[in-house]
Amino acid sequence: MLRFAAGRAGVRQRFVPGSAMSGDGDEELAGFVALHGAALRASCVPARYWESLCRKLRGEVFDAGDYFGIMQVEEVDEEEEGDEAMEDELKKKPNPGNEPCFKVIVTNENGIQASNPDSIFLIDHAWTYRIEHARQQLLHVPGLLHRMANLMGIDFHGEIPDEGSVEQVLQEMWKYNQTYQLSQGTAEEKVPVWYIMDEFGSRIQHSDQPSFATAPLFYMPQQIAYTVLWPLRDLETGDEVTRDYAYGETDRLIRKCVLLPWLPNEVLDVNCFTPEPSDEHYQAILAENKEKLPIAINPSVYDKDKVFKVFTDIQQVLNSLTHPRFVFTDNEAEADILYNFSHFKDYRKLSEERPEVMVNQFPCENLLTVKDCLASISRRAGGPDGPRWLPRTFNLQTELPQFICYFQQRERRGEDNHWICKPWNLARSLDTHITNSLNNIIRHRESSPKVVCKYIENPVLFQREDVGMVKFDIRYVVLLRSVKPLKLYVYDVFWLRFSNRAFSLDDLDDYEKHFTVMNYAPGVTLKQVHCEEFVPQFEKQYPEYLWTTVQANIFKAFAELFQVASAKPAPLGICDYPSSRAIYAIDLMLKWDTSRDGKRIMQPQILEVNFNPDCDRACKYHPTFFNDVFSTLFLDEVDNCHVTCII
């Protein structure tokens, strides 16, 4: 039998006189549609509701309480009926019955008519935040932890937030989180925003045949996000308000995956292998990037004493390049070399009209520099599991079932299950999160395109006297001179980045423990060690591991990566365009592994490949850096340069 405990949906209203718009209202509606029409259409909000929505947003009219009520449902056995002592005992438990189950029902005596233009409602947001700030807000914002614990059915009676309760909320919130992303602003401002709807919105249950739809809407005049709720059909008094938690997903297997946070006992029985995607996958990426491939050209031959005119918008090049065979020009049309910061697209036009002009990019180099593509092409070296030099990686958009199956298998075997979620195409650790929660990873798929990589749980650490044993990563600059034949060099100086706190496999949201990119965070210590100082310190800490041997394995991984990246014709591989040259930064870590003969080894782990990297430190400490780069790439002269040939 079901027992209901009734509650009223919250009402917060500031009414504006007049129930319909006319005169000035028409202009106001037109302005509202101009600002928000694209978002409303994208969310499939029917146009018949727009005028009422405009009025409710302008007047902050939260009238859901006039139409809906919240019911708490308790499962009670028939024989328990009337047993007051049992009922009192149930009430004392933090989660009466099993877990508190709430439903939202229509309470208005006239029901809800989908054709009524006023049948659209605003839902307030109880908590809006970015993931990296969640813990601190729960600890320090008055009342927030208590409200979230109460909303999620977590037992919390204290006045002072405690870490245990905070941890519970951080785990449970993935069943309640919703997300949106700002389309304008800096990279930091575009990082996805997460929010939890108020008690009314959070009580709306899932259904595969929902009675209502919801969508976030960022109301620009107030710079505030709300959720809008509208009916998909007519409802009578007592009917339940439901929404589809996997809205828009039609594939049955993917729906099952997406709904796992609310159906945790489901076990996926699928093959977790991830072969390289089809040729059509790469064709689609090319079309999406709007890159036009070049026609075939013959390599240009230049006079041995030719002085090349360089057109560039990169200030570091303008400030640092002093080689006598390169001069700068402001006229792009007369340039011999185009050295651009932004991505070049129309290689076809360049190859047809100016085939002799060299450019600092390769067609289809996104196969290296975008994280999902990097994982895909790397499988050419290591099969479905990927090569040993790349952490096991899954594309959450196309390989979600395989990832879930792999995660569940590791869980059953008791293996480490820490993972790191990364956006496909952001750098500097933006919107990157470490977790061992499957729910967390599944829900992150909704925010922006992401890959999930096995987190390195056993990294090689470096002893910092002031801190202890910390994580570090290494950045190498590599120079791609040509694809056919493959000519790859590495700059002889490498750069190091260190965490600021001793490593341990906990406090996963502690940035300074788990990440190494400190030079973009204000007020954060930036530990700098030159590679010439690092090598003797490293060998002192690990006397059995000579750096020359470690570096040889790193270079071997680089060679394999570029070999597989250029193994197939464009767009399945980096395009063989004779006038292309490029510089990339490869970030990597070292992890403890076991070789095939049972020996403990330091295994390089490539983390990402960066296009047009920031070379500020290189220019500052090595004034000949860009002279060496340009001589290697454009003159094919390396004798007096600080570079080593890998291939």
Side-chain angles (χ1 to χ4, degrees), residues 605-619:
Q605 296 287 280
I606 293 176
L607 305 179
E608 61 184 32
V609 180
N610 296 280
F611 162 80
N612 259 348
D614 180 0
C615 297
D616 182 60
R617 281 204 286 177
C619 297

Side-chain angles (χ1 to χ4, degrees), residues 166-185:
V166 168
E167 203 60 50
Q168 279 187 280
V169 170
L170 291 173
Q171 289 290 324
E172 284 295 306
M173 70 185 188
W174 294 103
K175 297 178 184 177
Y176 298 87
N177 270 342
Q178 313 296 320
T179 187
Y180 65 87
Q181 195 170 6
L182 299 179
S183 59
Q184 297 179 331

Side-chain angles (χ1 to χ4, degrees), residues 351-371:
S351 64
E352 289 174 338
E353 298 179 1
R354 305 172 69 194
E356 75 286 353
V357 172
M358 292 181 280
V359 62
N360 68 323
Q361 300 168 39
F362 279 84
C364 303
E365 67 186 2
N366 59 290
L367 297 178
L368 282 171
T369 60
V370 180
K371 296 179 184 70

Side-chain angles (χ1 to χ4, degrees), residues 23-36:
D24 291 343
D26 291 338
E27 292 182 17
E28 193 166 320
L29 178 60
F32 173 77
V33 172
L35 282 175
H36 304 96

Side-chain angles (χ1 to χ4, degrees), residues 29-267:
L29 178 60
F32 173 77
V33 172
L35 282 175
H36 304 96
L40 294 170
R41 291 185 194 96
S43 299
C44 301
V45 179
R48 64 177 174 271
Y49 298 131
W50 292 5
E51 182 178 329
S52 179
L53 177 60
C54 175
R55 188 175 67 252
K56 290 185 178 184
L57 284 165
R58 179 167 53 92
E60 298 180 50
V61 178
F62 293 80
D63 57 347
D66 296 335
Y67 296 87
F68 308 105
I70 301 171
M71 298 291 181
Q72 182 173 348
V73 183
E74 295 178 5
E75 300 247 1
V76 181
D77 293 337
E78 290 289 346
E79 56 268 24
E80 292 178 4
E81 186 72 8
D83 189 337
E84 293 183 10
M86 179 68 74
E87 290 183 25
D88 289 341
E89 204 57 39
L90 281 170
K91 290 176 184 176
K92 292 177 185 176
K93 293 183 179 180
N95 297 325
N98 296 314
E99 288 184 2
C101 179
F102 294 91
K103 292 186 177 183
V104 175
I105 64 168
V106 176
T107 55
N108 188 280
E109 60 183 13
N110 297 317
I112 299 283
Q113 287 74 47
S115 60
N116 185 339
D118 288 331
S119 293
I120 189 163
F121 307 93
L122 298 181
I123 300 175
D124 221 344
H125 295 171
W127 184 23
T128 301
Y129 62 99
R130 287 194 165 95
I131 297 301
E132 61 269 24
H133 303 144
R135 182 182 298 274
Q136 291 305 310
Q137 289 183 10
L138 288 169
L139 285 170
H140 299 299
V141 175
L144 178 61
L145 177 60
H146 192 277
R147 185 178 184 184
M148 289 299 107
N150 186 57
L151 186 150
M152 299 176 191
I154 295 169
D155 192 21
F156 173 67
H157 300 296
E159 294 297 323
I160 301 173
D162 65 274
E163 286 288 351
S165 299
V166 168
E167 203 60 50
Q168 279 187 280
V169 170
L170 291 173
Q171 289 290 324
E172 284 295 306
M173 70 185 188
W174 294 103
K175 297 178 184 177
Y176 298 87
N177 270 342
Q178 313 296 320
T179 187
Y180 65 87
Q181 195 170 6
L182 299 179
S183 59
Q184 297 179 331
T186 64
E188 287 82 358
E189 290 167 338
K190 291 179 182 178
V191 168
V193 175
W194 292 85
Y195 65 93
I196 291 177
M197 291 185 284
D198 65 13
E199 287 73 5
F200 165 61
S202 293
R203 303 306 191 205
I204 298 173
Q205 299 297 312
H206 166 75
S207 173
D208 289 333
Q209 288 83 39
S211 56
F212 279 76
T214 61
L217 179 68
F218 191 80
Y219 186 48
M220 295 186 190
Q222 294 179 357
Q223 293 290 291
I224 295 176
Y226 300 101
T227 293
V228 294
L229 172 77
W230 70 95
L232 299 174
R233 58 177 182 269
D234 293 345
L235 288 97
E236 298 179 356
T237 306
D239 286 349
E240 186 179 1
V241 176
T242 57
R243 65 183 183 89
D244 184 357
Y245 289 3
Y247 177 75
E249 186 55 68
T250 56
D251 183 278
R252 289 182 63 184
L253 177 58
I254 301 299
R255 281 186 66 85
K256 186 176 181 181
C257 293
V258 170
L259 292 171
L260 272 177
W262 301 277
L263 302 169
N265 296 323
E266 290 278 0
V267 176

